[in-house]
Amino acid sequence: LHHTGGRYVVCAQPSRADRSAAFRSVWSELDNRLARQETWLLSATLKDLRSEPRWSAALQIARAAQNHIDPSDHERVVAHLSIFAPARLRYCLRLCGSGRDSLDALLGLVSSGILFLDPPDDLSLDGELRLEPKTCDTTTISWLPSPPAQRLSTW
């Protein structure tokens, strides 16, 4: 998750894992490794994640990570956006005709970090795609804290 406040890895809190010494050890190791890359590890309850409107869009985009993207579709969309960005999702869908599913191809490009949705949760036909991300306001996610001044694990 990239925000103006930094980079985050958000993990759903498992119900009983916090009681496990093995889980706490793995969490601590992951927290330390991410800290070296200036990335903040934090957890959120499933209730918090599900109440976030961007979560379902994020899941759909994450599922698209394994989609095959025809190279000609990739080239056409990137070439179009390099001239006409931002462009509506409905128009970019028309550019993807070589693969099986145009939406899967576009979401695969979003998942790989080649394209960016604007706003990030708008998968409607009126949503826009661009080649560069817009800065996201951290105040739109109520449970996302600012990066801590010192590294502190949430566990």
Side-chain angles (χ1 to χ4, degrees), residues 15-93:
S15 55
R16 291 189 215 139
D18 58 330
R19 297 182 198 132
S20 161
F23 179 84
R24 287 192 306 270
S25 173
V26 169
W27 183 273
S28 179
E29 177 64 25
L30 179 60
D31 190 33
N32 289 330
R33 286 182 185 210
L34 289 171
R36 284 182 237 138
Q37 299 172 15
E38 297 181 5
T39 301
W40 311 106
L41 176 65
L42 56 101
S43 62
T45 66
L46 287 174
K47 179 181 175 187
D48 285 339
L49 289 174
R50 288 182 180 137
S51 69
E52 176 58 45
R54 294 181 177 172
W55 185 248
S56 62
L59 285 176
Q60 191 170 351
I61 293 166
R63 287 184 192 115
Q66 302 304 316
N67 292 344
H68 170 74
I69 302 160
D70 189 276
S72 62
D73 288 344
H74 177 172
E75 290 174 21
R76 276 192 301 277
V77 171
V78 170
H80 177 76
L81 289 174
S82 65
I83 298 169
F84 299 108
R88 299 255 184 237
L89 186 63
R90 84 175 68 234
Y91 184 77
C92 292
L93 286 169

Side-chain angles (χ1 to χ4, degrees), residues 1-3 5-10 39-42 138 144-148:
L1 185 61
H2 293 269
H3 275 265
R7 289 187 321 191
Y8 298 85
V9 172
V10 180
T39 301
W40 311 106
L41 176 65
L42 56 101
T138 56
L144 186 64
S146 297

Side-chain angles (χ1 to χ4, degrees), residues 2-6 8 135-147:
H2 293 269
H3 275 265
T4 55
Y8 298 85
T135 305
C136 186
D137 182 9
T138 56
T139 61
T140 60
I141 301 178
S142 59
W143 49 264
L144 186 64
S146 297

Side-chain angles (χ1 to χ4, degrees), residues 27 48 97 106 111 126 142 153:
W27 183 273
D48 285 339
L106 288 178
S111 178
D126 290 326
S142 59
S153 177

Side-chain angles (χ1 to χ4, degrees), residues 64 67-70 73-74 77 93 96-97 99-112 115:
N67 292 344
H68 170 74
I69 302 160
D70 189 276
D73 288 344
H74 177 172
V77 171
L93 286 169
C96 297
R100 208 180 55 170
D101 186 324
S102 298
L103 181 60
D104 282 350
L106 288 178
L107 293 182
L109 292 170
V110 170
S111 178
S112 66
L115 302 181

